[in-house]
Amino acid sequence: MDEGGSRIVRRVSVRKRNRPSLGSICAAPAAAELKPGNVEDEEMVAGSRRRKTVGVQPVEYDSEEDMFGDYDSFTENSFLAQVDDLEQKYMQLPEHRKHDTDLAIEDLCSESIKDSKLNITTVDNFTALKTDERTKNQCGQEDVAIEPGTDLLYDVPSSQVLYFENLRNSSDDWGNQFTKEKDCNSSSHQTVNEELSHSCIEQPQQNDRSSSEVRTSSDMTRRKSLKDHLKSTMTGNAKAQTPVFSKTKQLKETLLSEEISVAKKTLESSSDDRGPFYSLPSKVRDLYVQFKGIEKLYEWQHTCLTLNSVQERKNLIYSLPTSGGKTLVAEILMLQELLCRRKDVLMILPYVAIVQEKLHMIGEGSRGAVLEMTLAKILYTNKTTQIIGMSATLNNVEDLQEFLQAEYYTNQFRPVELKEYLKINDEIHEVDSKAENGITFSRLLNHKYSDTLKKMDPDRLVALVTEVIPNYSCLVFCPTKKNCENVAEMICKFLSKEYLKHREKEKCEVIKNLKNIGGGNLCPVLKRTIPFGVAYHHSGLTSDERKLLEEAYSAGVLCLFTCTSTLAAGVNLPARRVILRAPYVAKEFLKRNQYKQMIGRAGRAGIDTVGESILILQEKDKQQVLELINSPLENCYSHLVQEFTKGIQTLFLSLIGLKIATNLSDIYHFMSGTFLGVQQKILLKEKSLWEITVESLSYLTEKGLLQKDTICKSEKEVEYNFHITKLGRASFKGMIDLAYCGILYRDLKKGLEGLVLESLLHLIYLITPYDMVFLCDPDWMIYFRQFSQLSPAEQKAAALVGVSESFIGKKASGQAIKKKVDKDIVNRLYLSFILNTLLKETNIWSVSEKYNMPRGYIQNLLTGAASFSSCVLHFCEELEEFWVYRALLVELTKKLTYCVKAELIPLMEVTGVLEGRAKQLYNAGYKSLMHLANANPEVLIKTVDHLSRRQAKQIVSSAKMLLLEKAEALQEEVEELLRLPSDFPDTVASSIEKA
């Protein structure tokens, strides 16, 4: 080190992470009952064992740090566990090894564990114990002197210089120690203990030597190429063993492993003994107590989980009213698959299960068609996959049972009683199935209304909501998005100022957070309503805004949501009272299933003793509403035929493309097992299933997506086989809606004739989603204004797609237009303008204002364009003629996916890093994936605002994983280049000689 150079002194403090004691391991109670452990006592005991270190304050246990406590993974060889453990190893300094070794031994000795013996005889475990001395978290501070230099290492964030200077010595010591330990392969348990004691005695000497080596070798280390350094580090990480931190933890891991083993054997046997917690480790039970407060399962949940069909892994459908606790059963079944049977789990959102969905959605348009196709393919190809279906609303369950080959369990249990009411004028009527017309008078709405209030609030919404808020929560379902905002503002105008004082500071924090995620922008409606604890909720909000408002509502900071019907179907936000503003969704009258979903949100388990729903109606709708509340649920029907291009045609293309079924008889046999096949007598009146199958295959053949081969088996028997064409494979691989694959091919072909690359507009037009065009209603004045601001290159692109400025000008001025112009092309170009502006400004708010469109719609357009761009990329990869688009679309897809400045894109690839966080990290000096992968989570917490320890660890682990994946991809490429070709002449000649 140059003595004349300036010295930079950096102080790094690494604090020891709290670990709960062995007292947290308790005997498993009855299967249906959960008992929380005394977490505070455990922390006090664990804290009393720690030695006090001068200058370091004790750290409280961070419950957000790690959901699984000491367990980084349920499996010891988990990749995430390795990444996390290696991260801890390389973050530590060597100065305190003796101190931590003493702590580990003291922790072990202080435990009063009887009849428990730990035998360690294998090389792996022996190495793991020795490794513990290095990987223990440290307490204390260390001054490190670093000189600035011109090499690549100096570009690394200052907080990481210490890491690089110590890494070489740590790696060398690690390697030497590992070599020594290999010689001890046949050592007994006694030898292990002697080695541990000897290591403790020699620690001071090692520390002194390591400390001097840091200073003498830093210059050489810093000159080393960062690229080579990271390559060797990541290779070492990939090959390194997973360390076990202490004997205490090892005993916990042993207990967990034993429980999983017992549970696995229990599942495989016919015994009724369900193990610690429904064949799951007791740790799972403890986590449910700790994080969800679930101490005891409902009786129906216990019954369902112990059904013979569940134990025998048969397919199952179970149905209960909303809020009955269905998801918990699905979670437990999923965990049984993952932990005990070591099998994969397929998640079908928005709910999680083995293969599980709200089954009534099978009867809802294209979503239902896709779900039906997925389930049908699973049933046809894999007889061992278990399918679990759950729903709150099922009527013709027999059809679903036949389709899924499943058993059925149902229960009418609701944890909170639900009372249904109708409001007609000022009268409140209770829904009563025993009454003559289905309702009985309950009470008059008693609220003093001024003349002004009567005009502003004819439905008496203010009276209904003030009966429950702010102490209880309330949902008001409105027919339209605009109505949601208007109702929220109207209610706030007539609320007293007392509502402003309820959790005032927390509401201010919500507004502050909304401003932060909006880049300083805040919706004026929310700015006025949130101080009263009121907000609207619909698709016009961005996903970040919705998430933040939902969290505030769940925490009780917000007490009233005005929302659209989508909230009832997708988000679990219960309330004391649910009010339906009108019996309509948009302009369509409410369906029984929709009504049940909405009112099902009333009543919060564990909080409310009763839930109420109130449907507001006018006299003209009274008869129709009475029929609604007394009618049975709508039947669920297949949509494979109605959704023709997204249904049966797409299904056939995928069946042949995946070679699941390639001849006519096999395809027909497959169709007979679908939900459509089960319901063919009801749904297919004019044509038979065979005729529809033949017609659909003929249509795909005519469109050039399939090719038919005729095979004559005999004079009388002819078999028709099908194989997929290049265009068909491109559509299949790109997941292109078959209604648009022909148009897409023509657009891409036309684009090759004169693709304008001076701007992004032409390329953006080609990946603008076709299915969003029909939703577009351009503002012609805005269209004309934006058109007039186009660059010459952008105007050229617009002309090439067939839209002129004069046409837009005439539309804006209301003039008659004689020339025919394709409306879809005009609308699609308008959406392309929005996307082009968005990529230039990277701010949804400013684009939303410029085009006078909801920011939620802008975000959905951006997400849809990014997804479709990826689909078009895969489409082009299968067609050689479109080779030019491949490289262009890779970069464009990235731009659309992240919609940030180019320098932030590498950081945005990391899980948990959004635009705001990426800017923070970039400004703190973390400008690449390599920087994040080698970051110290503790330093990240200190240098980045509002970053929890759990988030910091997730960011670092995710970055390491991404970096390792890239390194492995490069390694595979290297191995492929160095591998001797199978058709190498010498190899062929030698094989001939041997023959």
Side-chain angles (χ1 to χ4, degrees), residues 49 65 82 126 145 184 213 264 290 343 386 417 447 509 525 733 801 844 864 897 930:
R49 296 196 205 100
E65 177 185 343
Q82 292 184 38
F126 180 57
C184 302
E213 285 176 0
K264 189 174 179 181
Q290 184 180 353
K343 293 184 180 293
Q386 184 184 20
E417 182 188 2
H447 190 85
E509 190 65 25
V525 176
K733 289 284 185 73
V801 302
I844 287 177
T897 300
M930 289 185 292

Side-chain angles (χ1 to χ4, degrees), residues 629-678:
I629 61 173
N630 292 307
S631 64
L633 294 168
E634 290 86 2
N635 284 339
C636 180
Y637 294 114
S638 169
H639 274 255
L640 276 184
V641 175
Q642 288 89 331
E643 296 291 328
F644 203 57
T645 57
K646 288 184 180 179
I648 200 166
Q649 289 182 4
T650 299
L651 175 59
F652 287 172
L653 198 64
S654 67
L655 287 178
I656 296 164
L658 293 170
K659 297 183 179 178
I660 294 172
T662 56
N663 61 62
L664 183 56
S665 58
D666 286 348
I667 293 169
Y668 176 71
H669 176 64
F670 178 94
M671 288 301 297
S672 300
T674 62
F675 195 39
L676 173 64
V678 171

